């Protein structure tokens, strides 16, 4: 693969300051996201997984430019969004759209569905009013909504329909990348697969790239090309999907897979459900953030933060004592 | 804490300085000027004389220059003479101030003495008949035009049933303490009706908020005496916001006092302000208005400090200071 | 509009009914709405009443001073022989117009300030909220008196215009709005702070919407409830301010009648004609209390969790 990747994230960090303590002392920072790095190519899907509170939403929002990062940068089609002048940044935003976690919160209750779906077109001054209408109708049909519903308000729709509205809004301007923050978590299981299939179809039809955030490994299995696993704000493992499922190398990935049965992959992967509580992101433990819960922890894990390293087989893992690599490589990871 | 107080004092000083300029400028825009007044009292003065006089008094200089020379004199303690009282402004003020303190103090004490039990009781029995009646009376107090209330009280108690004097602080020739008290009844009643409604609502709202809190519910559930929980524990906590809003509403009380004093020809600060504005007494208007502003700001500052002091959740240094 | 499935019609209606039911529960607010509608109707119908009675609200007649109530003069005449009822109706017109206009103007000022402070936050928020606190803290009535007393010719207005009675109306609206926007500003700021964090605002930002669009399209429509409540509540205050300034001779200038300036000479009338003193003030009282009840009821109906003023 050559040329600039569609999306390149380098050392992205966001630590939320906590409110001021008594007498103006700073009370600390939430280490929501620390040094996240990865690349995503055109037309592919990267799944970002991890337990609730590990910084997935923060990552998505920092990448979309909604949070100012404390360190690191986001290169979209080779240029740093934060460094662009206002106009150019607005243009860049055209090609990067977002679907939020909560389909109830992410639609303005005072706008009609038609206005919501068509808003990106209005913001970027695309077409005439009539052309925009036609485009909105098209997209609504594309996601399985009745264009006549454009006159109605969000509260008249079910969660699944709302998420379709949100997806239609992300699609209407024909972006190259969609950042989807747990788009299925608020939906019923039956509707989840519908929406997931919709996104898969769209990807095939339009060559869209997805940054797909989820805590559900079953979903990852059907949709992702690559998987990034986060723990306490840090990337701990980044691997092609099949490789990750066949042979997770980070002990955390392993326990995560043990906790979730993966349909179609036979029995649960061996390993134990992690013991103990997730440490607070305000006072992350020294060394590897996972060491207090890690079955394979060594003394060095307590002191030193492991670097994310290429294991030579297409995976990156941040661990002093990773699981052994698989005996053979599944075919899926060869690009 | 000390740093916070110093910072707030500094801010208040800046506000006072800005207000003094603003008021100075506005007063310069009121009808007529001192020379016009001289001309109207002495028909022999020609327009040329007037121009010369303006130059002598420096009235032809730019506004900022005139203001600065006033400010320099004022900082040295010289606020000029009152035109209406023909005495230095500062000599006139004390008696008026004392009268206002009497009026506002008395009415404040009465308002609070009634507002606290009424508000607490209404909050403790939300939506009871008592609560509804209190609510109705509060709205009436908030909504009544003070000048008309004064007129109606005068009509009823001085004209129809002439038992109380309608104006002044004492009968001509003096009549002792009893006479002075009789003169206070109507003004104090007016000002009390004006302020009591909002005070009661403050108390009621704060109590409802406190009674919703878990620790009060727990205390009640544990069987602590209901009366004791409400009147001691809840009331003590409700007083924090109440003290603050009451102090913050000082400016409103002052406005009420101005109307009340004017209506009853009661020689207090409010009437002094009003008369000096209407009587082109520029020096007096300027000083009394500034004084009223300074006192109001001081009340606000005290409210903020009291709030910060009483509520441990507030930080003093941060920029995200919370106001009730 | 397309036909809704029955279940959805139910949802839609449910929200409206909920509001209506909570509002109707507030019997005083409903009564107030009726009273205000009647007052507005009467004020609009002032010329009709004049014509029906065959009187002229501004015609001075020294022969007809202090007439007792009669068929032509249902409430009698005033100290200049003018029909009291007709003047009260015209006065209501002025008080209501000035009250509503000044409340709307202050709502606009307060909304702009509250939106900007809440949306931008940071330094701008601190500055704007200090300004708001500062205005709230000032002794407003004395300052309003000074503002109302300012000689407009001294700021360059032509003599004729400065003395014009209609100008006194606009001027009242302007200076009252200048000091009454604080309640709206605070409430809008508070509401903006919470709406700003909602995901649909982030979604619009992610799409590339600018601050102006975010504030007008996304935040404003979601903060109308506090604006409506605060504006309704401030109408009462505004009418009180207008009436006291007019009473002091600094507000609406005769011959235009306002409830306030009808009482200007009242101190001389308390002996001779106390009923002339009663009516204008009673109507101010009624109007103000009705607006306050209405605002209270709207507050309960629109946001049942908000604490009372
Ligand atoms: N605006 C914020 N201010 C302070 N802390 C935050 C903020 N947003 C998220 N956090 C904290 O950052 C951590 C990561 O949150 P988030 O990115 O929402 O996780 P996830 O989406 O993986 O559940 C959590 O501990 C959360 O409490
Ligand atoms: Mg999340």
């Amino acid at each position: 693969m050559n040329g600039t990747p569609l999306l390149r994230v380098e050392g992205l960090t966001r630590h939320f300051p906590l409110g001021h303590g008594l007498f103006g002392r700073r009370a600390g920072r939430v280490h929501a996201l620390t040094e996240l790095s990865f690349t995503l190519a055109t037309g592919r899907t990267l799944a970002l997984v991890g337990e609730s509170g590990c910084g997935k939403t923060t990552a998505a929002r920092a990448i979309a430019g909604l949070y100012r990062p404390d360190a690191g940068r986001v290169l979209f089609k080779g240029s740093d969004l934060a460094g662009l002048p206002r106009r150019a940044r607005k243009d860049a935003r055209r090609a990067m759209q977002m679907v939020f976690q909560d389909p109830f919160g992410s639609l303005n209750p005072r706008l009609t569905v038609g206005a919501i779906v068509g808003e990106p077109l209005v913001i970027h001054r695309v077409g005439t009013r009539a052309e925009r209408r036609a485009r909105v109708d098209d997209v609504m049909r594309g996601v399985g909504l009745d264009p006549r519903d454009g006159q109605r308000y969000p509260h008249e729709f079910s969660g699944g329909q709302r998420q379709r509205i949100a997806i239609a809004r992300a699609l209407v301007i024909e972006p190259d990348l969609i950042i989807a923050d747990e788009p299925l978590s608020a939906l019923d299981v039956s509707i989840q697969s519908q929406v997931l299939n919709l996104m898969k179809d769209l990807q095939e039809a339009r060559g869209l790239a997805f940054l797909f955030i989820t805590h559900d490994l079953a979903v990852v299995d059907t949709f992702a090309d690559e998987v990034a696993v986060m723990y306490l704000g840090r990337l701990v493992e980044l691997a092609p999907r099949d490789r990750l499922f066949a042979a997770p190398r980070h002990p955390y990935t392993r326990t995560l897979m043990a906790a979730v049965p993966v349909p179609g992959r036979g029995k649960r992967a061996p390993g134990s459900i992690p013991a103990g509580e997730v440490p607070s992101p305000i006072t992350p433990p020294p060394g590897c953030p996972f060491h207090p819960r890690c079955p394979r922890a060594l003394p060095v894990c307590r002191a030193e933060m492991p670097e994310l390293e290429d294991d030579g087989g297409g995976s990156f893992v941040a661990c002093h004592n990773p699981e052994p690599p698989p005996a053979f490589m599944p075919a899926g990871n060869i690009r | 804490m000390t740093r916070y107080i110093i910072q707030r004092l500094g801010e208040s000083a800046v506000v006072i300085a800005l207000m003094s300029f603003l008021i100075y400028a506005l007063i310069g825009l009121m009808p007529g000027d001192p020379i016009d007044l001289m001309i109207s009292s002495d028909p022999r003065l020609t327009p040329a004389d007037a121009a010369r006089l303006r130059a002598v008094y420096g009235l032809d200089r730019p506004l900022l220059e005139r203001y600065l020379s006033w400010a320099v004199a004022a900082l040295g303690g010289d606020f000029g003479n009152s035109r209406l009282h023909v005495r230095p402004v500062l000599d006139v003020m004390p008696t008026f101030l004392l009268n206002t303190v009497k009026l506002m103090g008395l009415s404040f004490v009465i308002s609070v003495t009634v507002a606290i039990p009424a508000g607490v009781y209404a909050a403790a029995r939300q939506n009871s008949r008592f609560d509804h009646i209190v609510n109705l009376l509060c709205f009436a107090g908030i909504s009544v035009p003070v000048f008309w209330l004064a007129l109606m009280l005068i009509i009823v108690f001085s004209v129809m049933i002439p038992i109380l004097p309608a104006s002044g602080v004492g009968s001509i020739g003096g009549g002792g303490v009893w006479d002075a008290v009789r003169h206070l009844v109507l003004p104090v009643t007016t000002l009390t009706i004006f302020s009591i409604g909002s005070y009661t609502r403050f108390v009621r709202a704060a109590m409802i908020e406190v009674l919703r809190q878990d620790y009060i519910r727990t205390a009640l559930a544990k069987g602590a005496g209901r009366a004791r929980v409400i009147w001691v524990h809840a009331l003590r906590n409700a007083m924090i916001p109440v003290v603050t809003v009451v102090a913050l509403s000082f400016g409103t009380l002052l406005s009420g006092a101005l109307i009340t004093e004017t209506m009853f020809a009661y020689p207090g600060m409010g009437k002094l302000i009003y008369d000096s504005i209407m009587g082109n007494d520029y020096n007096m208007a300027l000083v009394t208005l500034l004084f009223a502003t300074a006192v109001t700001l001081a009340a606000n500052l005290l409210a903020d400090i009291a709030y910060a002091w009483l509520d441990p959740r507030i930080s003093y240094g941060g920029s995200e200071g919370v106001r009730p | 509009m397309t036909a809704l499935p029955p279940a959805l019609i139910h949802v839609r209606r449910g929200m409206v009914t909920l509001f209506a039911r909570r509002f109707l529960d507030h019997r005083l607010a409903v009564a107030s709405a009726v009273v205000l509608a009647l007052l507005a109707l009467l004020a609009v119908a002032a010329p009709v009443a004049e014509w029906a009675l065959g009187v002229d609200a501004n015609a001075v007649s020294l022969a007809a001073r202090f007439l007792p109530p009669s068929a032509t003069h249902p409430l009698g005449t005033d100290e200049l022989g003018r029909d009291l009822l007709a003047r009260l109706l015209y006065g209501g017109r002025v008080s209501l117009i000035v009250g509503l206009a000044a409340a709307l103007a202050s709502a606009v000022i307060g909304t702009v300030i509250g939106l900007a402070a809440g949306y931008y936050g940071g330094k701008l928020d601190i500055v704007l909220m200090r300004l708001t606190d500062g205005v709230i803290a000032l002794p407003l009535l004395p300052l309003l008196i000074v503002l109302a007393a300012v000689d407009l010719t001294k700021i360059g207005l032509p003599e004729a215009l400065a003395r014009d009675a209609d100008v006194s109306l606009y001027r009242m609206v302007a200076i009252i709005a200048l000091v009454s926007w604080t309640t709206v500003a605070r409430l809008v700021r508070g509401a903006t702070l919470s709406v700003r964090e909602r995901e649909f605002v982030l979604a619009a930002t992610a799409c590339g919407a600018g601050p102006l669009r975010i504030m007008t399209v996304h935040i404003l429509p979601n903060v109308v409830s506090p604006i409506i409540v605060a504006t309704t509540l401030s109408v009462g205050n505004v009418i009180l301010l207008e009436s006291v300034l007019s009473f002091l001779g600094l507000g609406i200038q005769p011959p235009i009648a306002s409830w306030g300036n009808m009482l200007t000479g009242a101190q001389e009338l308390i002996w001779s004609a106390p009923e002339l003193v009663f009516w204008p003030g009673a109507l101010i009282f009624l109007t103000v209390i009705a607006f306050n009840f209405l605002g209270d009821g709207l507050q309960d109906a629109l946001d049942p969790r908000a604490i009372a003023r």
Side-chain angles (χ1 to χ4, degrees), chain C residues 73-166:
Chain C
H73 302 295
L75 291 176
T77 60
D78 69 1
E79 72 275 20
L80 294 175
R82 297 170 294 192
D83 181 68
L84 184 60
L85 180 64
R87 284 188 70 72
L88 283 173
L89 295 182
Y90 273 104
R93 239 179 188 205
V94 169
S95 292
L96 285 174
I97 288 174
V98 172
L100 290 172
L104 281 181
S106 57
V108 171
I109 301 174
T111 303
V112 169
I113 289 184
L115 268 179
Y119 178 71
Y120 285 106
K123 287 240 154 53
L124 185 70
D125 183 30
I126 294 172
V127 169
L128 288 179
M129 282 305 110
R130 275 288 148 87
L131 178 72
T132 311
D133 290 344
V135 173
I136 292 174
L138 293 175
L140 285 182
L141 189 64
L143 292 175
L144 272 180
I145 291 176
V146 176
L147 274 177
V150 162
D151 181 355
L152 290 179
T153 57
K154 286 200 179 181
I155 53 172
L157 232 65
E159 181 85 24
L161 212 57
R163 307 271 177 267
D164 189 69
D166 283 339

Side-chain angles (χ1 to χ4, degrees), chain A residues 111-128:
Chain A
L111 295 184
T112 60
V113 167
I116 291 172
V117 174
E119 185 172 25
L121 300 174
V122 176
I123 290 171
H124 295 286
R125 304 217 168 81
V126 177
T128 63

Side-chain angles (χ1 to χ4, degrees), chain C residues 211-237:
Chain C
L212 198 63
R213 183 175 177 86
I214 301 271
M215 281 190 272
T216 52
V217 176
H218 294 283
I219 298 181
L220 186 59
N222 286 289
V223 299
V224 282
S225 307
I227 297 178
I228 289 173
V229 171
T231 307
T232 313
L233 290 172
S234 69
V235 176
N237 271 326

Side-chain angles (χ1 to χ4, degrees), chain B residues 204-216:
Chain B
R204 179 176 175 275
M207 278 300 285
I208 287 176
E209 192 59 31
V210 169
L211 290 175
R212 263 205 282 250
Q213 304 292 314
D214 285 340
Y215 64 90
I216 295 292

Side-chain angles (χ1 to χ4, degrees), chain B residues 50-295:
Chain B
R52 202 168 34 74
L53 278 171
R54 284 208 167 84
V56 169
Y57 285 99
L59 287 171
D60 52 351
R61 287 182 297 151
L63 175 66
L64 195 63
E65 218 173 284
R66 275 184 287 145
Y67 167 73
L68 285 178
S69 59
W70 173 85
V72 167
L75 286 175
D78 175 14
F79 290 93
N81 278 334
S82 157
R83 192 180 80 84
L84 295 176
H85 297 265
V86 216
R87 274 192 296 155
V89 165
L90 291 187
D91 292 358
V92 181
M93 278 170 56
T95 36
F96 287 83
L97 187 58
L98 187 67
N99 282 332
T100 291
V101 169
K102 267 190 228 162
L103 170 66
M104 285 175 67
L106 263 175
S107 129
F108 182 77
V109 169
I110 297 172
S111 301
V112 169
T113 324
V114 178
I116 290 179
V120 171
Y121 203 72
R125 303 170 159 250
Q126 225 184 318
N127 290 322
S128 66
R129 174 169 295 251
F130 178 82
D131 185 25
H132 287 305
I133 291 171
V134 166
N135 191 42
L136 204 71
L137 292 177
C138 285
F139 271 97
I142 292 167
S143 308
V144 71
V146 184
F147 64 98
W148 178 75
L149 175 66
L151 287 168
M152 294 324 281
L153 288 175
I154 292 171
I155 288 176
V156 174
F157 295 104
S158 304
V159 178
M160 291 165 71
I161 329 165
I163 48 172
L164 288 167
S167 68
V169 279
S171 308
I172 300 158
V177 178
W178 177 236
D179 184 59
V181 169
R182 275 169 35 90
H183 279 85
L184 271 170
V185 173
L186 288 184
V188 168
T189 307
T190 307
L191 193 57
T192 304
I193 293 177
F194 169 75
S195 55
I196 201 168
S198 41
Y199 291 176
T200 309
R201 279 174 66 80
F202 294 157
V203 174
R204 179 176 175 275
M207 278 300 285
I208 287 176
E209 192 59 31
V210 169
L211 290 175
R212 263 205 282 250
Q213 304 292 314
D214 285 340
Y215 64 90
I216 295 292
R217 290 168 175 240
T218 321
L220 286 174
K222 277 189 186 157
R226 185 175 156 81
R228 200 180 143 71
V229 170
I230 289 174
W231 291 95
V232 180
H233 300 283
L235 181 56
R236 190 191 302 151
N237 285 294
M239 284 326 277
I240 298 172
V242 169
V243 167
T244 315
V245 277
V246 165
L248 285 177
S249 68
F250 185 82
T252 313
L253 186 63
L254 206 79
S255 297
L258 185 147
I259 308 173
T260 309
E261 291 177 2
T262 308
M263 296 311 293
F264 291 100
Y266 181 93
M269 285 301 290
K271 185 160 165 53
L272 189 62
I273 293 175
Y274 178 70
D275 287 346
S276 55
I277 294 173
M278 300 317 277
N280 289 317
D281 192 345
Y282 303 105
N283 286 335
M284 185 58 103
L286 193 51
V287 171
T288 46
L289 278 168
L290 263 183
F291 181 76
T293 309
V295 173

Side-chain angles (χ1 to χ4, degrees), chain A residues 61 66 90 93 97 100-102 105-111 119-120 122-124 148 152-153 155-156 169, chain C residues 1-2 4-5 8 11-12 15 198-200 202-209 211 213 217-218 221-222 224-225:
Chain A
R61 291 182 178 178
L66 295 174
K90 191 172 159 185
R93 285 213 156 125
Q97 294 291 316
F100 286 81
Q101 182 166 359
D102 174 13
S106 63
L107 307 179
N108 187 338
R110 306 277 170 165
L111 295 184
E119 185 172 25
V122 176
I123 290 171
H124 295 286
R148 282 175 306 174
R152 292 160 55 183
Y153 287 86
H155 73 258
E156 300 173 40
R169 168 173 62 185
Chain C
M1 191 156 156
T2 49
L4 300 182
L8 293 181
V11 171
R12 199 78 225 252
M15 296 186 28
R198 307 254 305 262
E199 279 197 341
F200 62 79
L202 285 175
T205 315
C207 276
R213 183 175 177 86
V217 176
H218 294 283
N222 286 289
V224 282
S225 307

